[in-house]
Amino acid sequence: MKLFHLSDLHIGLTLCSRDMHDDQEYVLNQIVDAVSKEKPDAVLIAGDIYDRSVPSAEAVSLCNSFIEKLVEASEGRPVMIISGNHDNCDRIDYLKSLAKKSGVYMVGNPPRYEDEFICKVTLEDDFGPINFYLLPFVKPTMVKNIIGVDDEGRNFSYDETIKRLIERETIDASVRNVLVSHQFYCPINGDTSEIRRSDSEIKVVGNLDAVSSKYLEVFDYAALGHIHTPMTVGKATNVYCGTPIACSVSEAGQKKAIVVVELGDKKDEAKITNIPLVPMHEVRKLEGTLSEILDNSSEDYVSIILTDKDEGIAQFNLDKVKAAFPNYLDISVKHDKEDHLSEGELKNPKQLSHLDFCKEFYSNMSDEELQIVTEIINMIEEEI
């Protein structure tokens, strides 16, 4: 069975205040063309369909158009879509019953009541059934009615939450199973430094949203969303496919692609290949003197760092930069000297995370107070 794995479409994205509608449409049409040509048995989209929980009318129109084209290109083969942390789960669930009649399985909310379980879709091929478990983005507060709370009445961690949700399922390990999920899965050793996170991703203070990839062991393939850099975690079949186009300057130079997964016999590991996606405009970083930069004019989206000693050079030559780079994103001047703080001097708040700034200001917080402050910061950042 051939599968297409995509995630983090972020429809409605702006990049450094630049509207990316045309760029997104350009790449989404490539996806539709690839589906029409390769005829995968299913298309999996692992969350963050929209860039914002309340998308613009233009974003909704583009998303609807894309899904309509995808359904037509799929010729009746299923399209499975889950919500991510940027999405409004109720919006994704809206009209899901009607969408299902067109072969589109849209899952916005995780199971929230005792009689609800992770949405499961079963397909058949020559090697038997394949069970697809569609698990949208989960916050512990969303599922506490079915997994409970800890001994102190607090919500479970993200890690424990996902563990308990998967343990509720009756997963037949004798057949092939695929998970579609949008969470911050990390190596089994818990080292989150191995995961390269994009500047545009919503990050939870202290990496409290980290989930061990050991809970993915029961699945023959894990189609993961949330991390924008293409990579694997835990094992080769736990795959973050990354974004179809760069969503921030921190993704400059990354090669974007559709992940193609071929599942054969249960005893054989999935075969994984890529179909490259070509952007309308590359996202690049350029560093050098003004004269060096101007010698490399292009229509790419560029973030420019000037190394000239004159800090006013960017301001006085902005017209030249705009002429050479009509799609430039931002421009700054690199300083030779780094600011050194004297011992005990409070750091500039802009250089600190919200949590670190609170720790600097309230220098004697107990562990319990630190946990409360962390939860408050995470709650506010998620709402923002």
Side-chain angles (χ1 to χ4, degrees), residues 256-272:
K256 305 298 187 178
I258 302 167
V259 173
V260 183
V261 187
E262 295 182 65
L263 291 172
D265 192 273
K266 171 73 177 181
K267 68 179 187 301
D268 298 326
E269 188 171 276
K271 179 184 176 182
I272 301 171

Side-chain angles (χ1 to χ4, degrees), residues 26-251:
Y26 184 81
V27 170
L28 293 175
N29 284 338
Q30 289 181 49
I31 294 170
V32 171
D33 291 342
V35 170
S36 182
K37 179 181 178 181
E38 297 292 328
K39 304 188 185 308
D41 297 289
V43 177
L44 314 176
I45 305 180
D48 280 356
I49 310 307
Y50 292 108
D51 190 57
R52 298 179 182 180
S53 60
V54 183
S56 66
E58 291 78 10
V60 172
S61 177
L62 178 57
C63 182
N64 290 346
S65 174
F66 169 62
I67 293 176
E68 287 175 5
K69 292 176 183 177
L70 203 57
V71 169
E72 184 177 354
S74 296
E75 299 177 346
R77 294 179 291 274
V79 176
M80 306 182 200
I81 302 172
I82 64 170
S83 66
N85 58 310
H86 279 251
D87 295 312
N88 181 310
C89 13
D90 293 327
R91 180 182 291 274
I92 300 300
D93 270 342
Y94 181 62
L95 296 180
K96 68 178 181 181
S97 298
L98 187 60
K100 188 175 178 180
K101 294 179 181 179
S102 300
V104 180
Y105 296 85
M106 302 186 74
V107 184
N109 283 290
R112 293 170 294 173
Y113 304 101
E114 283 293 337
D115 60 344
E116 293 181 347
F117 294 87
I118 298 173
C119 178
K120 183 172 78 170
V121 179
T122 301
L123 303 180
E124 296 266 354
D125 67 4
D126 293 341
F127 297 98
I130 301 181
N131 297 318
F132 295 83
Y133 290 86
L134 311 183
L135 180 61
F137 176 69
V138 180
K139 291 191 286 188
T141 53
M142 299 167 71
V143 295
K144 66 179 181 181
N145 287 339
I146 60 174
I147 67 169
V149 293
D150 66 18
D151 293 338
E152 296 180 357
R154 294 181 179 276
N155 294 322
F156 285 114
S157 66
Y158 279 80
D159 185 90
E160 184 68 18
T161 295
I162 298 300
K163 172 179 177 289
R164 289 178 176 243
L165 281 178
I166 292 176
E167 286 178 345
R168 290 180 76 241
E169 304 296 319
T170 304
I171 299 176
D172 183 356
S174 68
V175 302
R176 293 162 296 168
N177 297 286
V178 173
L179 177 69
V180 184
S181 180
H182 190 98
Q183 299 288 154
F184 182 31
Y185 290 100
C186 299
I188 293 175
N189 63 12
D191 185 3
T192 58
S193 66
E194 296 181 26
I195 307 294
R196 181 182 172 187
R197 304 186 75 167
S198 165
D199 289 345
S200 61
E201 294 171 45
I202 296 174
K203 303 174 182 66
V204 173
V205 173
N207 289 323
L208 297 183
D209 57 341
V211 178
S212 174
S213 59
K214 65 185 177 183
Y215 308 129
L216 305 178
E217 291 295 324
V218 69
F219 299 101
D220 298 276
Y221 183 78
L224 305 179
H226 190 43
I227 301 302
H228 290 186
T229 302
M231 63 180 297
T232 60
V233 58
K235 61 180 181 179
T237 52
N238 298 336
V239 179
Y240 287 113
C241 62
T243 53
I245 67 171
C247 293
S248 69
V249 175
S250 62
E251 296 174 50

Side-chain angles (χ1 to χ4, degrees), residues 9-15 18-21 24 50-52 59 200 245-248:
L9 307 183
H10 287 279
I11 295 173
L13 172 75
T14 57
L15 179 59
R18 184 176 293 279
D19 185 358
M20 297 292 284
H21 178 280
Q24 291 189 310
Y50 292 108
D51 190 57
R52 298 179 182 180
S200 61
I245 67 171
C247 293
S248 69

Side-chain angles (χ1 to χ4, degrees), residues 241-297:
C241 62
T243 53
I245 67 171
C247 293
S248 69
V249 175
S250 62
E251 296 174 50
Q254 290 184 10
K255 300 301 181 183
K256 305 298 187 178
I258 302 167
V259 173
V260 183
V261 187
E262 295 182 65
L263 291 172
D265 192 273
K266 171 73 177 181
K267 68 179 187 301
D268 298 326
E269 188 171 276
K271 179 184 176 182
I272 301 171
T273 55
N274 291 328
I275 296 176
L277 294 171
V278 180
M280 179 181 287
H281 303 95
E282 294 281 356
V283 176
R284 297 193 293 137
K285 294 180 182 179
L286 295 179
E287 181 174 334
T289 64
L290 178 64
S291 61
E292 291 170 341
I293 294 294
L294 294 178
D295 285 341
N296 291 279
S297 61

